[in-house]
Amino acid sequence: MKAGFSDRWRGPVTAPAVSLAEPEPAPPRASPSPAPSLPKEVSKSAGDALIDAKVELHGRIIDEFNLSLIDRVSSDDLARQVTRFVADHVLRERLALNQRELEAFAAEVLDEMVGLGPIEPLLKDPTVTDILINAHMSVYVERNGQLELSRVRFKDESHLLRIVNKMVSAVGRRVDESSPMVDARLPDGSRVNVAIRPVAVDGPLVSIRKFAKRPISMDRLVELGALRPAMADLLKAAVRGRISVIVSGGTGSGKTTMLNALSSYISPGERLITIEDAAELQLQQPHVARLETRPPSVEGRGEIRQRELLKNALRMRPDRIILGECRGEEAFDMLQAMNTGHEGSMTTIHANTPRDALGRIEQMIGMAAANMSAASIRGQIAAGIQLILQLQRMPDGRRRVTSIAEVTGMEGEVIQMQEIFSFTREGVDAANNVVGHFRAAGVRPHFLAELKAQGIEVPSLAFDPRANL
């Protein structure tokens, strides 16, 4: 026999006996009361009453049960015992719930115990790509590229803060008044950004970017209309031929997704080192070493930035370095790596056009090497970077590759580029979907000769502007 959450619930189980509750005397048997037919009278709505009850039950569990033993109980048995606990509470408090509502309520209480509370169902929903929490009363989600207000909410600000601390503490990060902003990740790889008071005026702001359980492949991106097969063939050949690539785009344009798709074409015999603020890349190669930055401690010491990790990575015998996002002085070291035997390295950058991406890289290198002239910086950029992918999130929520451009060298003090493929917008249809077409510019990349020397061929027809991409 295995003890449940209290002495009132016992039943035959096959697992070894584990008591999650402290022993207590059995309560006096109460006279039976008729089954409730009306909800408990409360001044709040039924939804508010359930939220209050859920948080109350969670607090009671923390007070009454030995949570350190939960790991020794199977998930199925834990769910059964929580359901019994909730059923007893519903009966005692005269909450009018049918069987389906009771099961959903029990699942929510279980999420409060071992999950992330009210947003746990959103994290499990495959149609949700972003979860945006604007204080405890407002939770938005993104589905199919469109934002919508969800019915999820938290009881109060302290309830939300408890969930936030559970998120960030799992990866050794902290958030408090002295450090009110933090980047973190969830166990499934989802990226989390948190801002709390005093920088968040109206209460905690939480942004969660979910990623697919399985990385989206290049073929899947073609199916979704993000690019055309001819464009995918060129990118596949470029990655295999160790062409250094920059993925440029705005927030939410799909840069990390594209980086994951590109990395799938890297040879499994190469050693890859990834450097990120919050580890979110999902590389499929067998030889991957992952590095992650570290924020400063409470005393303001111990911070490890991307630049320090990048310098250290160069001593770890990498074949390629993949930098999750280039946003500061590490751009200088990344460019040095691309120019000194680590061809084929990749990174992402926030920019609106390929030309803007080069300008941002130049500015970031200037922060790290103030004594370098503009001409020297541009020369390093032209020598290290060969291909720039520009991504854009359209008004209808779809992500597309709007430009693939090659860096061809220097002319005077100007970096020369040529566009190979582009996407042209033509308008919107009756359903407000963006209408447009992909087209080839009619030029062949200069690096095709380099690829051909490695035995990698790209059909010439792919660059014909008259061909149907």
Side-chain angles (χ1 to χ4, degrees):
M1 301 292 286
K2 178 179 177 179
F5 281 109
S6 77
D7 291 338
R8 288 171 292 185
W9 301 315
R10 295 184 181 273
V13 294
T14 57
V18 177
S19 176
L20 297 181
E22 297 296 335
E24 59 181 22
R29 183 178 299 275
S31 58
S33 58
S37 58
L38 295 175
K40 179 182 179 182
E41 293 184 0
V42 291
S43 59
K44 303 177 183 179
S45 68
D48 290 340
L50 287 180
I51 291 176
D52 291 345
K54 177 178 63 178
V55 175
E56 177 191 346
L57 280 177
H58 180 256
R60 190 177 300 176
I61 289 172
I62 291 177
D63 291 338
E64 295 182 10
F65 305 115
N66 187 351
L67 299 183
S68 64
L69 297 181
I70 283 182
D71 291 338
R72 295 172 56 184
V73 179
S74 69
S75 58
D76 291 341
D77 192 45
L78 180 62
R80 283 195 299 270
Q81 296 191 52
V82 168
T83 300
R84 293 172 185 169
F85 184 86
V86 171
D88 182 74
H89 177 82
V90 167
L91 183 64
R92 183 171 61 252
E93 298 295 326
R94 298 175 59 83
L95 295 174
L97 299 177
N98 58 34
Q99 184 62 30
R100 183 176 179 181
E101 292 169 337
L102 177 61
E103 292 174 356
F105 186 36
E108 291 177 359
V109 174
L110 188 62
D111 288 339
E112 288 286 334
M113 292 175 57
V114 298
L116 295 178
I119 63 171
E120 191 70 27
L122 300 179
L123 292 170
K124 296 175 182 177
D125 187 344
T127 66
V128 173
T129 55
D130 283 89
I131 303 172
L132 307 173
I133 304 173
N134 303 329
H136 69 280
M137 290 292 292
S138 176
V139 179
Y140 283 82
V141 298
E142 181 187 273
R143 286 189 174 93
N144 301 317
Q146 301 297 321
L147 288 177
E148 59 185 62
L149 180 64
S150 77
R151 299 167 64 183
V152 171
R153 73 174 186 84
F154 295 82
K155 178 184 179 184
D156 50 31
E157 188 169 325
S158 62
H159 183 199
L160 175 53
L161 283 174
R162 178 165 55 79
I163 298 300
V164 164
N165 279 297
K166 186 182 291 188
M167 291 182 195
V168 301
S169 62
V171 290
R173 309 249 167 150
R174 64 184 180 87
V175 59
D176 50 38
E177 288 187 2
S178 62
S179 179
M181 297 181 293
V182 66
D183 282 313
R185 55 182 166 80
L186 300 181
D188 65 355
S190 298
R191 184 173 63 203
V192 180
N193 177 269
V194 176
I196 66 171
R197 298 180 192 272
V199 297
V201 178
D202 299 318
L205 302 175
V206 184
S207 303
I208 302 176
R209 170 67 53 81
K210 291 174 57 181
F211 294 99
K213 301 299 182 182
R214 294 183 179 179
I216 298 179
S217 66
M218 191 66 71
D219 291 339
R220 179 58 178 159
L221 290 176
V222 171
E223 292 176 11
L224 294 173
L227 72 168
R228 288 292 182 262
M231 302 163 69
D233 290 341
L234 175 64
L235 297 179
K236 179 179 179 179
V239 172
R240 287 183 172 175
R242 297 180 66 89
I243 301 299
S244 297
V245 178
I246 301 292
V247 180
S248 170
T251 300
S253 58
K255 297 185 298 297
T256 302
T257 298
M258 176 59 72
L259 202 59
N260 278 323
L262 291 173
S263 68
S264 65
Y265 297 123
I266 298 175
S267 168
E270 297 185 37
R271 174 173 167 82
L272 310 180
I273 296 182
T274 67
I275 300 172
E276 303 170 84
D277 273 337
E280 57 192 22
L281 291 172
Q282 298 171 293
L283 305 189
Q284 306 303 304
Q285 283 69 22
H287 199 166
V288 178
R290 307 170 71 197
L291 299 175
E292 186 177 57
T293 60
R294 187 179 72 181
S297 64
V298 177
E299 296 81 14
R301 294 176 295 186
E303 180 183 13
I304 300 177
R305 301 176 300 168
Q306 285 194 139
R307 189 174 190 188
E308 284 77 25
L309 293 177
L310 189 49
K311 290 179 179 178
N312 188 75
L314 295 174
R315 305 185 183 100
M316 299 171 67
R317 198 262 176 219
D319 288 305
R320 305 194 202 205
I321 297 174
I322 299 180
L323 187 62
E325 182 180 340
C326 190
R327 61 163 68 95
E329 297 177 344
E330 66 273 5
F332 177 76
D333 302 281
M334 185 69 187
L335 199 61
Q336 295 300 308
M338 290 178 172
N339 279 314
T340 55
H342 302 92
E343 298 86 354
S345 296
M346 295 182 280
T347 187
T348 70
I349 188 170
H350 278 80
N352 294 326
T353 67
R355 178 64 64 180
D356 289 346
L358 294 181
R360 285 212 63 207
I361 293 173
E362 182 178 343
Q363 293 171 356
M364 289 186 288
I365 293 175
M367 295 188 322
N371 58 340
M372 286 183 67
S373 66
S376 297
I377 293 175
R378 291 169 187 165
Q380 290 288 315
I381 293 173
I385 299 171
Q386 295 173 276
L387 200 62
I388 300 178
L389 276 68
Q390 184 66 42
L391 307 181
Q392 184 178 345
R393 177 180 172 178
M394 301 293 171
D396 59 5
R398 297 183 181 181
R399 282 85 168 172
R400 287 189 173 93
V401 178
T402 57
S403 178
I404 297 179
E406 180 190 21
V407 178
T408 58
M410 294 282 294
E411 185 173 322
E413 293 189 358
V414 179
I415 300 174
Q416 296 299 303
M417 300 175 63
Q418 65 176 9
E419 192 169 58
I420 304 169
F421 296 103
S422 64
F423 176 79
T424 303
R425 289 176 57 177
E426 298 173 345
V428 295
D429 59 17
N432 287 324
N433 295 318
V434 173
V435 176
H437 67 276
F438 294 93
R439 60 177 293 273
V443 297
R444 290 169 53 85
H446 290 188
F447 59 76
L448 287 185
E450 182 181 339
L451 297 182
K452 187 175 182 179
Q454 301 178 51
I456 302 173
E457 295 281 354
V458 180
S460 298
L461 186 62
F463 310 104
D464 187 347
R466 298 167 296 180
N468 182 14
L469 294 183

